[in-house]
Amino acid sequence: MIIRNVTVIDGEAAGPLADAEVVVADGRFSAIRPATGPRPAGGPVLDARGGYLVPGLWESHTHLGGFASAKPEHERAAYVSQLLTDFLSAGVTTVVDLGGPLDIELAARDYRGKATDPAAGLFFAGPVFTGVRGWPVLDDPARAPIAHQVDDAGVAHRQALELADQVDFIKCIYDGEPGAPDKLPLDALKAIVAAAHEKGKKVLVHVHERLDLEEAVAAGADGIEHAFQPQDPTSDAEARDVAALLAGTGTYYCPTLVTWEQLAHNGEAGYLRKLVDGGFAKPEDLPAITSRPLYGHEFPRHSARDSHIRFDYAMRTLALMHDAGVKITAGSDVAMLLPSPPVALLRELHLLAEAGLPLPAVLAAGTRHSAEKIGPQATAPGTITAGAVADALLLDADPYADITHLTDRAHHIGTLRAGRASWGQPAA
Ligand SMILES: [Zn+2]
């Protein structure tokens, strides 16, 4: 199949290629080149309507298994599958689950393996590693299946070796007072990283403060999850130090801005109005959002006040981190106040732009950098390049001219998922 009448933004360093033709064969891009003439050889032609083809988006930090665990057991795999379908219809071709019950993840993968309808691809961590009664288990026995609660490096190493064979990467929670029993011990974190790397898997580490981040990087973390909570919010010094560390070590940084935004504004009608004004919710979505059990209740462990500080600080300093060379990735984590998980990712991309990232950097965060964060397990590289799995999003306007061209679904014409287009029928 050949896609014509299109401008290609390949998601790598190359600038937009106007009037291109994109050849897709066996679910992969096989050529991206200037249009050759009125009737190219090589199969059916699909008209891209003068649009912009960008790599399919990645949601690189969510918890589908967590969303599904509220459902009856026999419905969970189908529910995750439905979410993956919803993600695809929002332009997201790959979803990365950063921690959840392994049985749900495996059942969802099995379910998708047998399904024939298109949906976003899924990568997952399975249970996270944390301290004893550490975040996010705390004292809730119902949350035990989402974590290995560890107080011993030898045990952690064995468990990580075993888990690494079943999952795409390893997730650790490194959050809490140094030395407290609910914090993963540093020697256990190091042992988990060693085990995962021995198995060729990346390790992504959730952090709270800057010290957590520095220790996680020193332990060999491949990615840091969440903007850190600053000690002194009035100074950019911590952000500059962290930026130098992350850029120098090539460690990926997923700030989950929309998480801190939601935790800071939970229960505020003004925030919901802002989402409506920005096109991230419709007025008719609001009753369902305000009737959710968490609505208006302070999130455990993360106060609204601290989340506010964390959000404002990350928004102010993210551009300087990008300028320093930090590889930023896009992930939303929670969708407490947004209509659905896919919309939370679109909101995250919007916030990355609002924080001052150049729009090509926003696209890289939502595509290539997120694929790189998962490493060799990622079957699609988040680029439109020859040989890559043909995952893409077709927009009706230039995403480098205005972020809404990427984040407002009114600008989405359709998706390409492993070579299957959701718009139009190719002419013979
Ligand atoms: Zn998370």
Side-chain angles (χ1 to χ4, degrees):
M1 178 176 76
I2 298 179
I3 301 170
R4 304 198 87 205
N5 189 19
V6 68
T7 296
V8 174
I9 293 179
D10 69 7
E12 288 206 308
L17 180 63
D19 194 20
E21 65 184 31
V22 177
V23 185
V24 177
D26 300 325
R28 292 177 183 267
F29 297 115
S30 59
I32 299 96
R33 62 196 182 204
T36 49
R39 287 195 63 82
V45 174
L46 187 60
D47 181 6
R49 305 178 193 171
Y52 289 75
L53 196 69
V54 301
L57 299 176
W58 280 63
E59 161 58 271
S60 86
H61 185 147
T62 188
H63 299 277
L64 301 190
F67 295 133
S69 55
K71 302 283 170 189
E73 197 176 331
H74 67 282
E75 293 176 15
R76 290 172 183 167
Y79 180 74
V80 171
S81 177
Q82 181 59 51
L83 284 171
L84 293 169
T85 304
D86 296 346
F87 269 105
L88 183 62
S89 65
V92 181
T93 49
T94 310
V95 174
V96 181
D97 190 312
L98 263 273
L102 187 60
D103 58 338
I104 298 181
E105 312 283 18
L106 292 172
R109 175 161 287 173
D110 190 48
Y111 188 98
R112 284 306 317 162
K114 293 172 186 150
T116 54
D117 60 318
L122 174 66
F123 296 98
F124 55 79
V128 304
F129 285 88
T130 189
V132 177
R133 296 183 172 183
W135 177 256
V137 177
L138 307 179
D139 289 319
D140 184 351
R143 290 175 152 217
I146 64 179
H148 285 303
Q149 300 176 55
V150 164
D151 63 1
D152 178 85
V155 172
H157 188 261
R158 275 200 305 280
Q159 289 179 335
L161 282 176
E162 193 178 316
L163 182 63
D165 286 331
Q166 298 176 278
V167 298
D168 302 304
F169 59 94
I170 299 279
K171 165 82 174 295
C172 296
I173 307 282
Y174 194 61
D175 179 336
E177 292 302 316
D182 66 347
K183 185 173 198 174
L184 187 63
L186 182 56
D187 61 349
L189 176 60
K190 289 178 181 164
I192 292 163
V193 171
H197 287 177
E198 192 183 318
K199 295 278 188 177
K201 303 286 166 83
K202 302 276 189 189
V203 181
L204 307 178
V205 183
H206 158 125
V207 300
H208 183 216
E209 294 194 341
R210 174 191 164 186
L211 181 64
D212 302 328
L213 185 152
E214 290 172 348
E215 290 183 346
V217 171
D222 300 290
I224 294 294
E225 300 296 321
H226 307 306
F228 66 95
Q229 184 84 40
Q231 297 284 343
D232 178 4
T234 64
S235 163
D236 292 351
E238 277 177 276
R240 291 186 191 284
D241 289 349
V242 163
L245 176 66
L246 295 176
T249 52
T251 309
Y252 292 86
Y253 190 53
C254 185
T256 67
L257 298 168
V258 73
T259 294
W260 310 116
E261 187 188 43
Q262 291 172 91
L263 266 50
H265 296 292
N266 187 5
E268 293 174 19
Y271 177 64
L272 297 181
R273 269 199 305 279
K274 189 168 153 185
L275 292 179
V276 171
D277 292 345
F280 294 97
K282 298 192 189 81
E284 58 267 33
D285 295 326
L286 301 188
I289 292 170
T290 55
S291 60
R292 288 175 186 163
L294 262 172
Y295 185 78
H297 293 280
E298 200 146 72
F299 201 77
R301 193 108 158 200
H302 301 94
S303 72
R305 186 181 165 276
D306 282 353
S307 300
H308 222 296
I309 293 168
R310 205 163 176 173
F311 177 68
D312 289 347
Y313 191 80
M315 290 296 284
R316 198 179 79 232
T317 57
L318 205 60
L320 78 80
M321 296 181 82
H322 164 74
D323 291 346
V326 178
K327 290 179 285 191
I328 292 165
T329 69
S332 67
D333 195 14
V334 300
M336 289 160 52
L337 304 182
L338 285 146
S340 68
V343 179
L345 188 265
L346 298 175
R347 177 76 186 164
E348 179 72 15
L349 294 171
H350 172 90
L351 291 172
L352 291 172
E354 200 174 296
L357 259 60
L359 297 188
V362 175
L363 187 67
T367 56
R368 176 168 50 88
H369 284 168
S370 289
E372 290 170 1
K373 180 170 94 167
I374 301 309
Q377 323 309 321
T379 46
T383 58
I384 298 179
T385 44
V389 169
D391 285 355
L393 168 61
L394 181 62
L395 307 168
D396 71 359
D398 183 356
Y400 288 176
D402 188 323
I403 188 64
T404 64
H405 297 167
L406 185 65
T407 59
D408 183 343
R409 292 173 67 177
H411 288 291
H412 293 190
I413 296 174
T415 56
L416 205 57
R417 169 70 182 119
R420 282 171 80 174
S422 67
W423 79 94
Q425 289 299 316

